Amino acid sequence: DAKTTQPPSMDCAEGRAANLPCNHSTISGNEYVYWYRQIHSQGPQYIIHGLKNNETNEMASLIITEDRKSSTLILPHATLRDTAVYYCIVSTTNFGNEKLTFGTGTRLTIIP
Amino acid sequence: NAGVTQTPKFRVLKTGQSMTLLCAQDMNHEYMYWYRQDPGMGLRLIHYSVGEGTTAKGEVPDGYNVSRLKKQNFLLGLESAAPSQTSVYFCASSWLAGGTYNEQFFGPGTRLTVL
């Protein structure tokens, strides 16, 4: 699986958009980009994933560059409850190979 | 619908003792996983299962054994606990048969301390 690089920490003002970058320059054609977050000491929570097209759901938007070497997770209106560690993960979804490799992620702090 | 539950929530062991962590899911998922998370680190995969009766090694399997006798349960065993196994253990499950992608659902974790 391709490795990812994320900034260790970021701050964002409450109500503003939080933009979390991720580099995955060695991503291969069949690998998806997943985002999970971990609030305090809870189990990680799935946010969104994508292959090559931009994706949006009720939680966030995922923007993937055309060359797929980087992506940005966007939380459109950050709240204090969005304070968490955010993990960018690259993985295939082949049957029987459903393994996610978590790095150290980005610690996002929402400032009141 | 409880999702993924883990038993116990906390445990303190002495070096050399054994214990079993239980993970249960009620979503009829095919895949189940055990991870460990050390302070300031990301999660690391210990073992996983792609179906009832199957298990496979992950990134850090040494010192652990697992069993998946029932589809809804995944057990993690420590035969002879060591201080290096002090960690928070997370269980996860994923993939409903016929599904198209691998969203993993995580349990609340078990905090284990080995003295």
Side-chain angles (χ1 to χ4, degrees):
Chain A
D1 291 340
K3 290 186 176 180
T4 63
T5 304
Q6 299 178 252
S9 64
M10 293 180 62
D11 293 338
C12 179
E14 187 178 15
R16 305 295 289 269
N19 295 274
L20 290 86
C22 180
N23 287 320
H24 30 78
S25 58
T26 60
I27 193 170
S28 60
N30 64 343
E31 289 183 310
Y32 287 72
V33 179
Y34 287 87
W35 283 84
Y36 281 74
R37 73 180 182 183
Q38 188 173 24
I39 297 174
H40 194 44
S41 299
Q42 299 175 20
Q45 174 191 25
Y46 165 85
I47 301 172
I48 199 168
H49 78 287
L51 182 63
K52 59 177 74 173
N53 298 321
N54 297 338
E55 302 288 345
T56 295
N57 62 20
E58 65 278 4
M59 290 182 66
S61 295
L62 174 60
I63 308 298
I64 302 174
T65 58
E66 193 168 341
D67 63 7
R68 303 210 321 124
K69 293 185 177 182
S70 65
S71 60
T72 301
L73 178 74
I74 301 172
L75 308 177
H77 304 287
T79 71
L80 297 178
R81 289 178 297 178
D82 293 322
T83 292
V85 177
Y86 287 77
Y87 298 98
C88 170
I89 301 164
V90 172
S91 181
T92 63
T93 58
N94 294 333
F95 181 82
N97 187 30
E98 310 285 353
K99 292 175 284 187
L100 302 177
T101 300
F102 288 79
T104 53
T106 295
R107 182 172 297 277
L108 175 67
T109 302
I110 305 302
I111 309 297
Chain B
N1 193 339
V4 179
T5 58
Q6 294 183 231
T7 309
K9 289 185 170 54
F10 303 93
R11 186 72 185 269
V12 178
L13 290 178
K14 295 181 179 179
T15 297
Q17 287 185 318
S18 63
M19 79 163 294
T20 300
L21 282 67
L22 170 64
C23 176
Q25 53 96 3
D26 61 2
M27 295 174 282
N28 203 31
H29 282 162
E30 300 296 326
Y31 301 164
M32 296 187 74
Y33 315 78
W34 276 107
Y35 293 88
R36 62 176 286 174
Q37 185 174 34
D38 299 328
M41 305 283 288
L43 279 72
R44 292 185 292 169
L45 183 64
I46 305 172
H47 285 280
Y48 65 102
S49 167
V50 298
E52 181 178 322
T54 74
T55 62
K57 294 180 180 180
E59 180 185 355
V60 288
D62 294 341
Y64 305 94
N65 56 76
V66 288
S67 64
R68 183 111 181 260
L69 299 180
K70 292 182 179 181
K71 185 177 183 178
Q72 64 268 33
N73 294 337
F74 196 29
L75 305 178
L76 178 70
L78 287 73
E79 290 186 347
S80 180
S84 61
Q85 294 178 304
T86 293
S87 190
V88 180
Y89 292 84
F90 290 101
C91 176
S93 71
S94 71
W95 205 70
L96 195 61
T100 58
Y101 62 90
N102 182 26
E103 172 187 350
Q104 292 190 15
F105 292 80
F106 284 81
T110 294
R111 190 173 298 275
L112 175 66
T113 301
V114 183
L115 303 176

